[in-house]
Amino acid sequence: MTVVPSEIEVHSYLAEGDERALADDVLDGLTRPFKELPPKHFYDARGAELFDRICDLPEYYPTRTERSILEARAEEIVELTCAAEIVELGSGTAAKTRILLDAMQDAGTLRRYVPLDVTEQMILETAAALVDEYPGLLVHGIVGDFERHLRHLPAPLGPRLVAFLGGTIGNFTPGSRRRFLRGLAKAMGPDDHLLLGTDLVKDPTMLEAAYDDSQGVTAEFNRNVLRVVNRELDADFDVDAFDHVAFFDREREWIEMRLRASSRQHVHIGALGLDVEFEPREELRTEISAKFTIKRLGADLAASGLELREVLTDPDELFVLSLSARPGG
Ligand code: SAH
Ligand code: AVI
């Protein structure tokens, strides 16, 4: 029997078996003329581990850059927001979050941590680790989809810092990004702040290297989505027959990751009774990762009902952490 400490409560809003509505997305995405799957399906246990390895790659600058900004500015963020709790969307292993939790603990404001992620295992492990590391901390974990389950955030215990780190906001298409931010602004109270990590537009060579590393970890992460579909939906993708593709679309200013069939592929998806054909060299889009300018970031926030208050960046202006709030708040 697992004993859950009393400081922890975890609520799941994902139905049993369809952890991320995978079947709907596969049916919808693989029957389109241009095939596509949403990136949230990367993150089973193996995908989460591969993502952790990506974060440590020399080419993948976003994680260490965002961490350096947090290390330099966490105290100031806590002073500006007076946050008593962190609500973290796409919280993962909360590795960088500890910098903020430390600053809140030092300031004496820390009361609760509210992680929300699609991967239950990560919520449970992170919750258990954090209550050990921060005596007295309450953890209210939400296993859910940040596009669908924001209404399940618990009532605030004080001013909230809503953290959306890592540049995950870039994984939305522009339309759903604004819809998501509008929903988030509505879920925020007058005392709350959004701390948003966004990757900036830069030299395409640097960008493309970050998404096509020399050790092939990102390629494995990309292909992992096919392993997830094979396991969860009884499909027979020949995973090794798909090549990793990553390029910077200069017009749209986003990185696109795709999987390209190296030869004609016939895939049977047992759970859906669906057969899918891939022509030789046909591609499946698995992720976009939008890169921002500060101007576009401000415009997106304003269009969503949020006011940009602080822009925190690194000396090379690779990455930005912004603080925003509801006007008048
Ligand atoms: N915030 C961490 C992890 C980023 S990886 C960091 O900055 O390093 C993206 C995280 O978002 C993963 O943990 C993944 O499981 C989660 N995620 C992706 N799509 C999601 C969705 N629609 N709803 C909730 N969590 C999601
Ligand atoms: C989680 N997200 C912000 C990462 C990104 O950079 O878009 C996911 C990732 N994809 C490839 N490498 C990392």
Side-chain angles (χ1 to χ4, degrees), residues 40 43 51 90 92 96 117-119 122 144-146 165-166 168:
K40 66 181 163 200
Y43 300 93
F51 178 73
K96 288 165 291 185
D117 204 285
V118 277
T119 307
M122 282 204 279
D145 185 328
F146 49 53
L165 303 180
T168 305

Side-chain angles (χ1 to χ4, degrees), residues 199-216:
D199 196 9
L200 296 179
V201 173
K202 59 182 64 63
D203 176 9
T205 315
M206 185 174 188
L207 280 169
E208 287 177 353
Y211 290 84
D212 193 8
D213 64 277
S214 57
Q215 297 172 45

Side-chain angles (χ1 to χ4, degrees), residues 95-113:
K96 288 165 291 185
T97 319
R98 284 162 168 89
I99 303 167
L100 290 164
L101 293 170
D102 285 346
M104 288 163 71
Q105 192 176 46
D106 291 349
T109 61
L110 180 62
R111 293 190 63 191
R112 186 168 63 175
Y113 177 55

Side-chain angles (χ1 to χ4, degrees), residues 72-294:
R73 313 292 288 270
E75 210 176 302
E76 191 182 332
I77 292 169
V78 173
E79 213 170 281
L80 283 165
T81 60
C82 306
E85 63 180 359
I86 296 182
V87 172
E88 183 167 18
L89 309 179
S91 45
T93 56
K96 288 165 291 185
T97 319
R98 284 162 168 89
I99 303 167
L100 290 164
L101 293 170
D102 285 346
M104 288 163 71
Q105 192 176 46
D106 291 349
T109 61
L110 180 62
R111 293 190 63 191
R112 186 168 63 175
Y113 177 55
V114 182
L116 186 160
D117 204 285
V118 277
T119 307
E120 180 168 34
Q121 196 56 24
M122 282 204 279
I123 296 280
L124 295 173
E125 284 173 13
T126 305
L130 289 178
V131 294
D132 260 6
E133 289 168 41
Y134 297 89
L137 178 72
L138 301 172
V139 177
H140 182 120
I142 300 177
V143 183
D145 185 328
F146 49 53
E147 288 192 78
R148 295 190 287 136
H149 298 128
L150 290 182
R151 67 182 181 282
H152 297 299
L153 293 178
L157 290 183
R160 292 186 294 195
L161 184 60
V162 180
F164 195 25
L165 303 180
T168 305
I169 188 73
N171 298 136
F172 288 89
T173 52
S176 38
R177 178 164 74 230
R178 288 210 174 170
R179 190 171 48 240
F180 166 78
L181 285 172
R182 265 199 308 275
L184 188 54
K186 279 203 193 107
M188 284 167 59
D191 296 333
D192 298 343
H193 286 80
L194 170 64
L195 180 68
L196 183 64
T198 41
D199 196 9
L200 296 179
V201 173
K202 59 182 64 63
D203 176 9
T205 315
M206 185 174 188
L207 280 169
E208 287 177 353
Y211 290 84
D212 193 8
D213 64 277
S214 57
Q215 297 172 45
V217 183
T218 311
E220 268 317 296
F221 174 73
N222 195 5
R223 280 191 277 263
N224 191 55
V225 73
L226 303 184
R227 294 185 201 279
V228 170
V229 176
N230 279 350
R231 187 188 60 238
E232 298 295 325
L233 299 179
D234 188 24
D236 61 2
F237 272 102
D238 175 1
V239 175
D240 295 329
F242 287 83
D243 295 324
H244 171 65
V245 176
F247 64 92
F248 183 57
D249 181 329
R250 288 170 164 75
E251 209 173 300
R252 297 187 173 92
E253 298 190 312
W254 69 43
I255 284 280
E256 217 168 294
M257 291 209 315
R258 297 180 180 187
L259 289 166
R260 180 188 293 148
S262 54
S263 57
R264 182 179 303 280
Q265 296 293 311
H266 175 93
V267 183
H268 179 67
I269 301 162
L272 298 176
L274 179 70
D275 290 286
V276 179
E277 299 291 335
F278 284 82
E279 296 296 322
R281 298 186 64 75
E282 187 179 341
E283 293 177 343
L284 159 68
R285 183 161 78 176
T286 50
E287 184 178 71
I288 67 158
S289 189
K291 307 305 163 189
F292 291 78
T293 57
I294 291 166

